[in-house]
Amino acid sequence: MGHKEPLELPSPLGRDVYLPLVIGGKPTGTLVARGTEASMHALESAARLVALSVERQRFVEESAHMQALRESEALKTSLLRAISHDLTTPITAITIRMESLRRRAVGDDELREVAGAIADETERLRRRIDNLLSMARLEAGRAKPRPEPTPPADLFRAARENLSQVFGARPVRVHVDADCPDANVDPSLALEILVNLVENAHRVSPSAAPIELVARRHPIDPDKLRLEVLDRGPGLPPGAADADVAQRGLGLEIARSLAAANGGSISFAPRASGGTVARIDLPAAPLPVGERT
């Protein structure tokens, strides 16, 4: 019933009356009285009481939902604090002990190599925890991305600085198209997206195989650019969807979430001659007024 006026129809038992239930100024249901002999005034009063009862029940449910949301947010905040303290504190202690072990390893190449490997994995774990905390803050609304024009070359350079072990262990080729626009992203979050994808490419690729980093204009959307991480790993399983790929590791899932927070997306495609292409589509920074055509 889409109107606010009662409707009467003849009935073998008297009359059928259809009365709208108006809640918040809008009809949201109908009270039907079949074969009734009651006065219209009495029926309208009953309809108002039913509408009030429905409105009250809805209010109670919404209040309970809001209370549950508030309790959920409080729980998220408490968990964030617990994770931040209970996980980062022992990692800091490990880092301190590792530096002491490195000093003792002077002259012992094997011990120095072991200490370096542990230090690298500890730093990787620290970065994962920081990523998870960033994701949780973004999803809880306690943090927001701060986009700014960011050249892809700067992101690639920062990735090299953050992944010196990866870049030192294999060839990494970098190419930025001359007409590639800057990305309009939060630089720190965009860097973490790239770092996670490069780490994944390093993990799945043969030891001597190069990784390629490419930045170009988006082939379809002029308001976006595309970053690509190309590896020579085993490639995608036949019929695999992007969602299946993202479930292979925590790093990929983190990258996907951070890309979405920046208004972008991540997809995967098979690479010619073997391997995978990880594509990061991000918003492009608007051109300065003097450069617009």
Side-chain angles (χ1 to χ4, degrees), residues 157-223:
R157 190 177 301 110
R160 180 184 294 274
E161 293 171 356
N162 279 265
L163 296 173
S164 56
Q165 183 186 22
V166 173
F167 281 75
R170 67 171 68 247
V172 180
R173 301 167 183 163
V174 178
H175 175 78
V176 179
D177 282 359
D179 64 344
C180 181
D182 291 348
N184 190 38
V185 294
D186 184 310
S188 61
L189 297 182
L191 173 60
E192 293 305 322
I193 298 169
L194 190 60
V195 163
N196 279 291
L197 293 181
V198 171
E199 279 188 331
N200 183 72
H202 175 63
R203 180 175 58 84
V204 302
S205 296
S207 57
I211 294 173
E212 295 183 32
L213 306 180
V214 178
R216 55 169 57 98
R217 285 186 176 275
H218 193 278
I220 299 174
D221 191 342
D223 295 326

Side-chain angles (χ1 to χ4, degrees), residues 25-220:
K26 297 179 180 180
T28 57
T30 304
L31 176 65
V32 181
R34 298 190 178 277
T36 182
E37 296 182 356
S39 67
M40 185 59 71
H41 177 74
L43 292 173
E44 288 177 340
S45 296
R48 283 194 293 271
L49 288 174
V50 172
L52 286 173
S53 178
V54 171
E55 188 173 19
R56 179 181 179 280
Q57 182 62 30
R58 181 179 298 177
F59 176 76
V60 170
E61 292 175 355
E62 290 179 352
S63 296
H65 178 65
M66 292 302 297
Q67 179 63 25
L69 286 178
R70 284 193 291 268
E71 292 176 356
S72 175
E73 291 302 319
L75 178 60
K76 285 181 181 179
T77 300
S78 176
L79 287 174
L80 282 174
R81 289 173 179 170
I83 291 173
S84 180
H85 179 270
D86 294 345
L87 292 184
T88 58
T89 298
I91 287 179
T92 301
I94 292 173
T95 302
I96 294 172
R97 297 289 182 88
M98 190 53 56
E99 290 303 319
S100 175
L101 183 60
R102 274 179 163 173
R103 288 193 295 270
R104 296 180 185 179
V106 175
D108 188 332
D109 293 341
E110 183 178 354
L111 181 58
R112 187 170 63 252
E113 183 179 350
V114 171
I118 295 174
D120 290 336
E121 291 302 315
T122 302
E123 182 58 31
R124 183 167 174 262
L125 178 59
R126 183 197 299 276
R127 190 161 54 244
R128 284 286 187 272
I129 293 172
D130 289 342
N131 287 168
L132 287 171
L133 290 172
S134 296
M135 269 179 52
R137 292 188 185 100
L138 290 168
E139 291 176 357
R142 298 182 61 228
K144 293 183 179 180
R146 298 181 178 179
E148 61 183 67
T150 306
D154 287 356
L155 290 175
F156 291 158
R157 190 177 301 110
R160 180 184 294 274
E161 293 171 356
N162 279 265
L163 296 173
S164 56
Q165 183 186 22
V166 173
F167 281 75
R170 67 171 68 247
V172 180
R173 301 167 183 163
V174 178
H175 175 78
V176 179
D177 282 359
D179 64 344
C180 181
D182 291 348
N184 190 38
V185 294
D186 184 310
S188 61
L189 297 182
L191 173 60
E192 293 305 322
I193 298 169
L194 190 60
V195 163
N196 279 291
L197 293 181
V198 171
E199 279 188 331
N200 183 72
H202 175 63
R203 180 175 58 84
V204 302
S205 296
S207 57
I211 294 173
E212 295 183 32
L213 306 180
V214 178
R216 55 169 57 98
R217 285 186 176 275
H218 193 278
I220 299 174

Side-chain angles (χ1 to χ4, degrees), residues 268-280:
F268 300 86
R271 185 182 181 187
S273 302
T276 302
V277 181
R279 294 168 174 160
I280 315 167

